[in-house]
């Protein structure tokens, strides 16, 4: 199974750490990052999709962050 996650965070070092942690756990970048203004909070937000090959079949209760 190929797992997919979309990592999001405010535009701070926390976002870079979140993506770096996923990469260190075997996830691979998927596509380009996105950067957008959140009008509710007034802050910029980043997003990056990641994918990972994982054993087994998909089930809706899979904890993707634990893969």
């Amino acid at each position: 199974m190929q797992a997919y996650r979309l990592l999001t965070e405010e535009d701070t070092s926390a976002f870079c750490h979140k993506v770096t942690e996923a990469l260190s756990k075997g996830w691979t970048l998927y596509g380009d990052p996105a950067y957008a203004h959140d009008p509710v909070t007034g802050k910029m937000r980043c997003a990056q999709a990641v994918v990972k090959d994982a054993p087994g079949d998909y089930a809706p209760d899979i904890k993707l962050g634990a893969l």
Side-chain angles (χ1 to χ4, degrees):
M1 158 186 97
Q2 187 172 53
Y4 170 92
R5 293 175 65 196
L6 181 64
L7 306 175
T8 63
E9 184 68 52
E10 287 183 11
D11 182 23
T12 66
S13 64
F15 174 72
C16 294
H17 284 282
K18 187 182 280 191
V19 174
T20 300
E21 179 182 20
L23 294 173
S24 75
K25 293 181 176 181
W27 293 84
T28 302
L29 299 176
Y30 183 81
D32 295 328
Y35 190 64
H37 182 259
D38 181 343
V40 174
T41 64
K43 298 181 180 178
M44 296 301 289
R45 294 195 59 87
C46 300
Q48 175 64 60
V50 292
V51 293
K52 181 179 186 179
D53 287 326
D57 295 324
Y58 171 75
D61 60 342
I62 291 174
K63 302 278 189 233
L64 296 172
L67 292 178

